[in-house]
Amino acid sequence: MFFQRVELTHFRCHTALGVDLAPGLTALVGRNGVGKTAVLEALHCLAFTRGFRPDRELLERGAAYLQVVGRVAPGYAYQTLTYAFVPERGKRLLYDQLPAARLADHLGRIPVVAVLPDDTRLVQGSGTDRRAWLDGLLAQQDAHYLAALTRYQRALEQRNALLAHAEGRAPDPALLAHYDGVLAEATGPIVTLRRRFLAAFSPQFHAAYRAIAQTDETPGLAWVDAVDDPSPATVAEALAHAQRADRAAGRTTWGLHREDLTLLLGGLPVRSHGSQGQRKTYLLALKLAQYAYLHAALATAPLLLLDDVCDRLDEHRIAALFAYLAAHVAGQTVVTDTSEARIRAAVAATGLPEPYVQRLG
């Protein structure tokens, strides 16, 4: 599916804004600060039920609510998709005028991949950033993963609160055993799907990186396991063994929430050894491989949102990026840039029709 139009009300810097969109490539062009990224974030809310930051930060200053309406192309089960947030009531998603029973049920119906300047955290940040990216990706693809992850995260939060409030005393053993049991049962499905994902994803990532970088540099992904054997009995035993350390730290010190994805280039961590251009290329390759993975897994083309992707790329890598998009991206794409000429030139070099350009500001 694709959106013909998106309408923002009290969303970030926009009191009211409507933007028409093409089924292929739409370029949002304007100077910095005119709210181009806000349009991408509004589309992300419609597809993923949240933006790039907490909902309260999406409210226009002084506004009591925000709303995003996506008008869908003909031929689908609904004509409008509405995302609304009122601080006192929370957020809602409506198909036409019918509210969704659960926001979680919407994940995966409109798969989305976003490339943002802040995504440098994925390459340069902590394991928390990389796990969040991986969890968001797999939650769109597999409802069972989302359910197991939700159970795990809720039990982990409750277990950590129990340990923190114990203040050096032995925590309630019955409650601790209950949370350990939930963590043990949820760990297996999460670990299995993460490992299966990495095996399928790595070749797609290698291909994307080499296509954009136009070099023989060898990228690599290495998953740092915290859990060797994810069977419930083994996980429960490991949690019990770690209880002394947990009580001292006031939190759960062992488990799959401690795992990480190591990003390598030529066998060395790209975080510390990659140049600025290499890190940007690495990030783009990760996200475009994510697009390819979701497209294959869900048999539907994700919505692709590209914010300032040309920044910090030389002209050769910009040309390679758009050549990759032309060859591998089949769905709706929305890109932002400060230069209309740069986008038009990059698209023209691929031989594709001119992009649909919307100027903001």
Side-chain angles (χ1 to χ4, degrees), residues 312-326:
R312 298 190 180 92
L313 290 181
D314 60 39
E315 61 182 16
H316 300 293
R317 295 200 183 201
I318 292 173
L321 167 63
F322 277 83
Y324 183 92
L325 296 177

Side-chain angles (χ1 to χ4, degrees), residues 8-31:
L8 287 63
T9 304
H10 300 310
F11 191 95
R12 289 185 54 178
C13 63
H14 298 295
T15 300
L17 175 70
V19 176
D20 293 322
L21 303 168
L25 176 63
T26 298
L28 305 180
V29 177
R31 67 185 186 281

Side-chain angles (χ1 to χ4, degrees), residues 41-53 55 58 83 91 103 107 132 136:
E41 190 159 19
L43 289 166
H44 195 273
C45 286
L46 293 175
F48 202 67
T49 72
R50 65 175 174 83
F52 309 142
R53 65 202 73 205
D55 288 288
L58 303 180
Y83 180 89
K91 56 189 176 185
L103 292 179
L107 292 182

Side-chain angles (χ1 to χ4, degrees), residues 73-276:
Y76 296 96
Y78 49 88
Q79 282 69 58
T80 61
L81 183 63
T82 302
Y83 180 89
F85 173 71
V86 180
E88 296 78 16
R89 301 177 188 174
K91 56 189 176 185
R92 294 195 306 162
L93 191 73
L94 295 91
Y95 303 99
D96 290 330
Q97 298 304 313
L98 298 176
R102 296 193 319 148
L103 292 179
D105 294 337
H106 183 68
L107 292 182
R109 292 185 179 181
I110 308 175
V112 59
V113 176
V115 182
L116 311 167
D118 285 349
D119 285 337
T120 53
R121 295 194 308 267
L122 183 56
V123 175
Q124 297 173 259
S126 68
T128 301
D129 298 307
R130 287 179 286 277
R131 284 193 304 274
W133 168 73
L134 176 61
D135 289 337
L137 190 165
L138 289 175
Q140 291 189 80
Q141 182 228 328
D142 194 310
H144 298 295
Y145 185 89
L146 177 61
L149 182 67
T150 301
R151 291 196 305 274
Y152 186 95
Q153 290 177 334
R154 185 180 297 123
L156 179 65
E157 182 179 346
Q158 293 168 327
R159 190 180 194 273
N160 284 343
L162 179 66
L163 291 165
H165 293 149
E167 297 181 344
R169 301 186 304 274
D172 184 319
L175 267 179
L176 197 59
H178 169 71
Y179 297 143
D180 286 0
V182 177
L183 293 175
E185 290 294 332
T187 292
I190 297 172
V191 169
T192 298
L193 287 169
R194 282 179 176 178
R195 291 174 179 172
R196 186 183 303 163
F197 158 79
L198 193 61
F201 180 80
S202 292
Q204 295 167 322
F205 167 65
H206 293 164
Y209 183 88
R210 287 173 177 165
I212 299 168
Q214 296 287 290
T215 70
D216 58 358
E217 296 168 340
T218 304
L221 302 173
W223 188 252
V224 182
D225 289 307
V227 179
D228 293 326
D229 179 358
S231 65
T234 303
V235 172
E237 182 181 351
L239 286 167
H241 181 74
Q243 280 186 20
R244 178 175 295 180
D246 292 348
R247 288 199 298 269
R251 56 183 170 80
T252 306
T253 59
W254 179 91
L256 60 82
H257 58 284
R258 308 283 293 177
E259 297 186 333
D260 195 4
L261 183 64
T262 301
L263 310 179
L264 304 170
L265 190 60
L268 298 172
V270 69
R271 174 182 178 179
S272 55
H273 289 77
S275 68
Q276 191 174 62

Side-chain angles (χ1 to χ4, degrees), residues 26-30 36-40 305-310 334-339 342-343:
T26 298
L28 305 180
V29 177
K36 302 186 300 294
T37 303
V39 178
L40 301 190
L305 308 175
L306 304 173
D307 192 25
D308 276 341
V309 289
C310 297
V334 186
V335 59
T336 72
D337 205 299
T338 55
S339 170
R342 179 164 54 188
I343 294 295

